[in-house]
Each structure stands twice: as structure tokens, then as C-alpha cells.
Amino acid sequence: MSFRTTATDYVEDVSPGSGALPPRAWYASSDATSLSLNGSWRFRLSATVDAEDDSFAAEGYDAGDWAEVSVPGHWVLQGHGSPIYTNHLYPFPVDPPRVPTENPTGDHVRTFDLPSEWPSDGGAVLRFDGVESCARVWLNGTDIGEFKGSRLPHEFAVGHLLKPSGNVLAVRVHQWSAGSYLEDQDQWWLPGIFRDVTLLHRPAGSALDFFVHASYDHLAGEGTLRVDSDVDGRVLVPALDIDVATGEPVTVPVRPWTAETPRLYDGELVTEGERVPLRIGFRTVALEDGLIKVNGRAILFKGVNRHEWHPEKGRALDLETMREDVLLMKRHNINAVRTSHYPPHPAFLDLCDEYGLWVIDECDLETHGFTEQAWRDNPVDDDRWTPALLDRTARMVERDKNHPSVVIWSLGNEAGTGRGLTAMAEWIRGRDTSRLIHYEGDIDCRDTDMYSRMYADHAEVERIGRGLDGGGLKRRELPFILCEFGHAMGNGPGGIADYQHLFEAYDRVQGGFIWEWIDHGIKDERYTFAYGGDFGEELHDGNFVCDGLVFPDRTPSPGLVEYKKVIEPVRIDGDGPAGTVRVRNAYDFADLAELAFEWSYQVDGETVETGALSVPALAPGESAEVKLPTPPVDGRGAETQWTVRAVLAADTAWGPRGHQVAWVQLPLNDGALTQVARSDGPVPGEQVITLGPAAFDARTGALRTIGGVDVTGLRLDVWRAPTDNDNGAPWQPDARYGLLWRKLGLHRMRHRLDAVELGDDALTVRTRVAPAAWEVGLRTVYRWTSDGTRLRLTVSVSPEGDWTLPLPRLGIRLGLASPADRVKWFGGGPGEGYPDTKSASMVGRWESTVDELQTPYVRPQENGARADVRWAEIGGLRVEGDPCFWFTARRWTTEQLDAAEHLTDLAPGDTVWVNLDHGQQGIGSQSCGPGALPQYQLRATPAEFSFVFSEIHD
């Protein structure tokens, strides 16, 4: 067989490809034989599309000296080239549909034998579940077609080409193609065959495409099932005594499917040549009374946007990783997923069906980079591209149409507006009337069934909830969702509890989806996890790719713990002194029968007794008031509180017995403040001033020791290593506080000593703290007193000048020499908390190491503060606050944390630096959303706060 140089025009052709079979429903298995072609493939990388001819596809070609790559996989994560991260800029010149000559092209070859049990009759289909971005395929030397649409399946009829052994499958994959213009999602550009490759036997009379229609009548309690099939057959559902012909409807009493009660019925589609398992969930999705309803009830999305990601394998996810995602979501009270910004691996949707998650299934479409030219030449408003758009739409809908979890189709993301989107919406409505349509960019809701926005601030959401948002009449009559909010980049997001309050206050506002699920850090020995720019990209968007609720290794971040608390499906409050608890069922469908309730009683943070609390199995929306027992001990003179928890009463599919679903703490009595009688006065010396257990520098008044504990560098401090949300987004220049703080010089404050005064009962040090080059300052007075064993510091701060910016923080910092390792505290925990991110901070007694106090954000930044601390013990020192304070301890200075770009930049020192903060600026989510709300901003106003220090004697 002779071969010619392969024509490459298909790479820049706007059509979706050629040779592929029509899209159809995806199913994982049937009784027909199949063969996975995953595994090790031979691989050759070329710099351009035409650097090599297609002779490698011929039978007998020797690729034995080629490299090997794993399929599914991305070649740039296996030592061949490098990944590229951009948020929305195309990493190539925008000249649609042309792409660069420098176009990395990966030739893949796999030789395989048919298994001995492979039937000799019937046909066969070769299925690719995902290839980025364009592929051409040969089997046994025959060119069978090419395709685009990276995150969508493509099948080819190949039965006539197969032989019992020595089959040669050759796939040429191009990183860039015309399809790349439609795939400008905020993620890494990662070429390769990254989803499964499977050979499917197609017996005579086997199932082709089929559509499971399973609606639910909530008034009658009945479901109606009809399975339309391209091949006649029968539908069997034993649990419902169903045995009907395809195309024939049957109505029976059923339990419906919801995300809270994901009841699935096992069935089969039986045709002449194949038996296909079915998992049927009965539910009806409708737009009624201006609301998104399922089974007659409005639902509230408590969702996340989910990119597919693994820190070593990129978007090549295995089933257990997908299951881990779903279980983590369920255990953190998440009930919905938007598949940003493409259909996920179909097995993920199987898991959503099984465990229960609402899904907005999004088409593999984004043309965000065209914003740089005011959407000129945008493919979605160019008729030449419409066939490709419709192909992507059909491949999503046909593949995923039988999943009850999918309740909304999304046309794509950030692709502007245009005729192509209208054509997509019209096609969907002609094919599937059982679901609603979403597209955030459709501001007038011409093609969509809901009004969707990204990052609208709290005030705008409230206006929308009240119907005061303007827009056309149609839009004002539609439900509203925030398809993206709470940008979870670095430390944060803040303010989500305030959003949730609005979601629950206004029926029209039906919740939202946090951006996003996981940090896309790439495991890298140099940095722990790498982000944009770490691979020498010409254009990149830095760590904007790390904006998830879980870290790259899927460890939950404090943001996920906060979100779990904010979206609890059981609302518990009450009156501690009165001993009453009010419980409200905030589920949309489930009662509380699967939950058990427990109380515990704490005295000064220690639990002294626990017990069960009897709560009825409330229906959705119902409430009950329950009486707590008599307090088990007399807590006068101590801080006492009740803690009430809702936990799983028994093991479930997604969580173990005792898993905490919701909780509240109800205070009874406040603890008494620590009193320090001024019995000792300062004693001057030539080098040292002594006061009670402490020694001070005689010249500067600086604290040197407390008993046997050495202290260094105690002073007022306002700087924190700016968070990603502090630094904000470029389109909000007036509120990028991290940059503005740095411009003002808050990271390099100067401390002027004005006076050291020795009184009869106090040592007073007067200072002024101010940045160079500006006239603003903080007049700061340190007043020290002692009762002989304890030392009290009162700090008074008076701002001078015109402080227009909030402060990052306000408190004191000090250094302790090692071994300051173990930390104990009474206050909020176990994790970090800030003014607008401390809903999940539970007051109690906690213990940790200094290292465990750190939160390992991929780009280092302010982290690890414990909120509402009454007292803390570290390095032989006990610190008590008046009032409560934020506590932070690190083995590096704030300046070192600020300078670090990666976790590996942080080298522990011999000193532990402790921050005792009177105030912290809120976090917000201004890396791509609104900043901290006014009530969480730390304004420069007069302040006074105190700390009591004492040495701990073991």
C-alpha cells in the first residue's frame, strides 16, 4: 500500500469533521462484547502538522523506537512539551479559523488483538470519548475520518476493517485547530487522547440510539415511562412489574428521583441483539410560576462549578477520582454541579444519578478571547460555524439525555451572543422538551429559561430578588441563578453567608454555583504545585487557575468547610439561656428521618456532658421548637454554651453514621474577663526595666522576656501578605486593596519612638507608626502593667491623617524562639476564619502544631488565623485577650510569606512569629467578584485592646 503526504486542510476547516457516526446515547456496558484500548501507546511528537507523512498508520510500520504515553492522558504531562494556562486569551494569533504553523502534533499508535471471545458476526464501533483538539484516525491503514470537539464522544464504524490479530490503530492529534477557537475555557491547554478509547461489538439487531423518558406526576404519585429506540425491543423494570414494547408508555406508582432522594430503578432495554442496562429516575423539570421546579417544587441550587482535574493526569480522570469528587460534594452539603465548561466524562453523570446531584450540563463551547476585539468575528454569530455548534450541541444532548441528574442544558460559556446560540437552543427544544436551557451571556433571555449572571454583588442580587433589576418583561418573570459566584481563589471566598441569606429570602433567586471546585495546580517538584507561567508560557494568567474549594490533591480548603456550614440543609438556632432549639428542615424534598440530633454542653470550651435530642422527622419547610435539658452543671463565672448537631443516623451511600450535617452553638453565660491588679510598678535599671515577670529594654521600652520566655520584635502591625482576593481583579482598580496597600507602604511601616515613661504602676511607650512618603499615621501607645505574675498590655491606636483605605489587619506581632511548636487555644476552630469566612468556626478548645496551623494555598498568602480566640498557649507563654482576638503563628515572617510565590519558597526559621490581632479586613471574593462588604472592612478608627501574658509552668 502506498502513502502520500497527508492533506492537513481539515485542521483549519470550521466543520466538525467527517466519518463519524451520528451521536447517540452513551452507556457504560451491555451484554455485547467490548475491548478497552486504554493503556500504553507508541508516541511521536512533531512541531507542525505536516512534519511527518501518514506512513506511520500503515500495517507493518515499525514504531518500536518511539516513546510511550499512557492513554487516557496528555502528552505534555508525560514529558513531551509543556502545558499552557490562559484564562481567556488565545495563546495563538486570533485569525479564525487559521492556527499557527507551530502546531504540536502527536502521532499515536496502538496494536491490538481481538479477544478470543470476540464474535465473528456483526459490526464494530470504535469510540473516542475525548481528544484535544483535533484528531485523524486510521485503522489497519485505512483513513476512517477526523473530528473536533474535544470533550465529546466520536464513534466510527470499523467492523469491516478488523482482523483477529495485529490490528493497528493510528491517531494523529493536533494541539491547535479551528476547534480551538470554540474551546477557550479558563483552564490549561492540554493536548492528547485524554478520555477512554473503546472498541464495541455491534451484534445484528443491537441497540443504536434510545431515549428514556421518565416523568413524574407529583399530584398522582405516578411515573410515566417511555423508551424510544431506533431498534424495536422491550423495556423491563422488574421492581415496577414493567414489561412493555419500546415506544409504548406505561404509568405506575413510583418513588421519584431528586438530588436529595436519588431513587433509581434498574431496568433493561432488550433488543434482538443486545441487552442494555438502564438506571431510571422518574422526575419532571418545569418552569412554572416563574420558578425552576422539579416534581412540582421549586429547588434551591447549592452548587459548584466543576472542571475535571487531577494534579498529575490533568483531565484524564479515573472512576475513583470522580467518585471522590461526588462524595466530597455530598459530605459538604453541595447539591448541584455545573459542568464548567464542557460535558464531563459520562461516568461522572452516572455518579450524579446514583448519589444525587442536580446537574447543569454545559456544551463544549467558549469563545471568550474574542472579547479582546469587541467580539468581532465571533464564531457564534458566523453562519459558517453553526454546523460545528450544532454538532457539539447534539453530541452533548444525545450522549447525556438519559441521566435524571441532568435537569438543565447549558449552551456554553462566555461566547458572546449570536445566531449560532439561537440555533443551538432551537435544536435542543426540538429534541428534548423535558429540560430547561441556560446560557449566562443571554442577558435578554431570548433563548434561555432563566436569568443567569456571574459575580453580581449582594446589592444587585437583592434588587433582582425584589424584581427591581430592570431588563425586559420576559427576564423579570424568569428565575434567577448565579451560575458563578464566590470566587474561591486562594484565601476565601468571603461573603457567601450573606449571599445565602439572599438566596433564602427571595423565591426568585434560586441559588448559585461557587467558582470553582478544584485548584488546577500541576504536581511539580520545583514548587509542590505549579501554575500559569511556571512552564515558560508566552502568555499566561498566573495562579488564576487555582481558584477551587479543594486543593489540587483534593484536600478540602477552609472555603469548602465554610460553604458546607453556610448551605446546611437543616437550620438550627435557638435561645441558649431559655434552653430552646428551633429546627427547620431546609431540604427541598427530604424529611429529617435519616438524621439524629445531639446536644453537648461546654464549660470554658470543654464538653462536660452530651445527650440525644428528640426532633420529629420534619417535612421540607417545617419547623419545630425543642426543649434542651437542664444545664448539667452550674456554669456561673465560666463561659458556657450548648452545641447542637444534626448527624447521619445510619450509614448512607455517601456518608458514615455520625457524619455531621449541621450544627449550631448557643451561648448561655459569658466568661469573666481576666483581671490584673496593678500591684507591681516598673523598676528602672541601666540596661533593663523590670515589671513583674517581664524585662524591657531600658532605652526603647521593647519587651525582651516574660519569665523564662524570650520575646522579640513586639510591635503594632497592620500588614498581611495580600490574598488573591485582596489583590483583586484588573477591572476593579479602585478596590484592589492589596495593590493600594502596597502603594501606600503598609508593608514597610516605620516605627518612631516618642517616649518611654515609667509611672508608679505602669510602663508606657509612646510611638507613631506610619508609612514613608505619606502623612497618614497611627499614634500608638503601649501601656504595660503587672500583678507580679501576669503582664497586661493595653494598646491604644489613634489614626492621624486621611485614611481612605481599610487596614489589612490591626494588632501586634511578636517573635518566640524555638521550641514553640505545640499550640493550644480556646476560641474558633479547628480551621482558619476571618470576618466574612468564619461561619464554620466552632468555639472550643483546640490543639495543633504550628505547621498544622498553616493553610497551604498554592500561591502563599495570608492564612491560618483562628477567630474569636479567648486565650492561646504557645512556646511556654499564655496569652489572654480583652476582647477576643485573631491568633496566627508561623515559622516565617509576614514579609517572607508576602515574598513567596510557591510553597517551596517558605523556609522555616528558628523564630515563631505570632500575630495577636484586634481586627482583620474581610476576605471577599474580589479576585473575580465583589470585595468584602462594608460590615467586614477594617476601617482606621480609634481602637483600644488588651492582652494578658503569663508564663506557663509545667
Side-chain angles (χ1 to χ4, degrees), residues 759-952:
D760 292 339
D761 60 359
L763 169 64
T764 302
V765 180
R766 301 184 185 277
T767 69
R768 187 175 189 269
V769 183
W774 302 93
E775 62 180 357
V776 297
L778 301 171
R779 186 73 64 174
T780 305
V781 178
Y782 308 91
R783 181 175 174 83
W784 299 92
T785 58
S786 176
D787 62 1
T789 59
R790 294 174 296 179
L791 185 70
R792 184 182 186 93
L793 167 64
T794 299
V795 182
S796 300
V797 181
S798 301
E800 296 179 340
D802 186 12
W803 285 88
T804 59
L805 296 176
L807 296 173
R809 44 180 280 269
L810 180 67
I812 62 170
R813 79 166 177 181
L814 56 97
L816 300 175
S818 295
D821 182 50
R822 301 299 304 180
V823 182
K824 296 180 181 178
W825 75 98
F826 173 25
E832 72 183 27
Y834 291 83
D836 54 351
T837 67
K838 64 186 183 109
S839 299
S841 186
M842 180 180 283
V843 174
R845 291 200 186 194
W846 308 101
E847 187 171 352
S848 173
T849 66
V850 170
D851 291 341
E852 289 168 346
L853 289 177
Q854 315 311 308
T855 303
Y857 295 114
V858 174
R859 186 192 72 80
Q861 57 198 270
E862 166 63 35
N863 74 90
R866 269 51 181 183
D868 302 316
V869 174
R870 281 74 165 156
W871 56 256
E873 295 179 349
I874 181 173
L877 196 66
R878 180 182 174 95
V879 184
E880 299 167 76
D882 178 14
C884 296
F885 58 98
W886 271 271
F887 173 83
T888 311
R890 307 185 181 105
R891 297 191 185 281
W892 37 77
T893 65
T894 298
E895 290 76 14
Q896 290 168 327
L897 180 62
D898 185 17
E901 295 293 332
H902 296 88
L903 291 169
T904 48
D905 294 335
L906 293 170
D910 294 331
T911 300
V912 171
W913 292 95
V914 176
N915 292 337
L916 309 173
D917 291 327
H918 175 65
Q920 282 269 2
Q921 166 78 355
I923 298 296
S925 65
Q926 200 151 7
S927 51
C928 195
L933 289 167
Q935 61 266 36
Y936 304 122
Q937 294 182 6
L938 181 61
R939 291 293 167 180
T941 57
E944 184 172 284
F945 48 94
S946 298
F947 300 101
V948 175
F949 300 90
S950 55
E951 186 179 9
I952 301 170

Side-chain angles (χ1 to χ4, degrees), residues 612-864:
L613 189 66
S614 180
V615 175
L618 301 170
E622 288 186 344
S623 300
E625 192 167 284
V626 181
K627 194 70 176 174
L628 289 164
T630 301
V633 298
D634 184 351
R636 283 179 293 181
E639 182 175 348
T640 57
Q641 67 182 10
W642 298 100
T643 299
V644 179
R645 294 178 170 87
V647 301
L648 290 179
D651 291 348
T652 70
W654 54 266
R657 179 178 180 271
H659 168 79
Q660 184 170 279
V661 173
W663 59 272
V664 73
Q665 291 187 308
L666 305 173
L668 280 81
N669 301 316
D670 294 330
L673 294 175
T674 300
Q675 302 295 324
V676 178
R678 301 175 184 175
S679 59
D680 278 24
V683 179
E686 184 176 342
Q687 302 274 334
V688 171
I689 300 169
T690 59
L691 176 61
F696 299 82
D697 185 284
R699 184 180 64 84
T700 65
L703 178 65
R704 295 293 182 235
T705 61
I706 300 176
V709 180
D710 292 333
V711 179
T712 185
L714 188 150
R715 65 185 189 185
L716 187 82
D717 198 20
V718 299
W719 184 242
R720 73 183 186 193
T723 68
D724 293 314
N725 288 305
D726 288 338
N727 286 332
W731 54 88
Q732 298 170 315
D734 294 335
R736 302 186 70 183
Y737 289 131
L739 280 62
L740 296 172
W741 290 334
R742 202 179 298 276
K743 179 180 178 181
L744 183 59
L746 299 189
H747 61 307
R748 49 173 174 77
M749 298 287 273
R750 306 294 178 85
H751 296 253
R752 187 185 74 205
L753 177 63
D754 288 341
V756 177
E757 301 172 353
L758 280 67
D760 292 339
D761 60 359
L763 169 64
T764 302
V765 180
R766 301 184 185 277
T767 69
R768 187 175 189 269
V769 183
W774 302 93
E775 62 180 357
V776 297
L778 301 171
R779 186 73 64 174
T780 305
V781 178
Y782 308 91
R783 181 175 174 83
W784 299 92
T785 58
S786 176
D787 62 1
T789 59
R790 294 174 296 179
L791 185 70
R792 184 182 186 93
L793 167 64
T794 299
V795 182
S796 300
V797 181
S798 301
E800 296 179 340
D802 186 12
W803 285 88
T804 59
L805 296 176
L807 296 173
R809 44 180 280 269
L810 180 67
I812 62 170
R813 79 166 177 181
L814 56 97
L816 300 175
S818 295
D821 182 50
R822 301 299 304 180
V823 182
K824 296 180 181 178
W825 75 98
F826 173 25
E832 72 183 27
Y834 291 83
D836 54 351
T837 67
K838 64 186 183 109
S839 299
S841 186
M842 180 180 283
V843 174
R845 291 200 186 194
W846 308 101
E847 187 171 352
S848 173
T849 66
V850 170
D851 291 341
E852 289 168 346
L853 289 177
Q854 315 311 308
T855 303
Y857 295 114
V858 174
R859 186 192 72 80
Q861 57 198 270
E862 166 63 35
N863 74 90

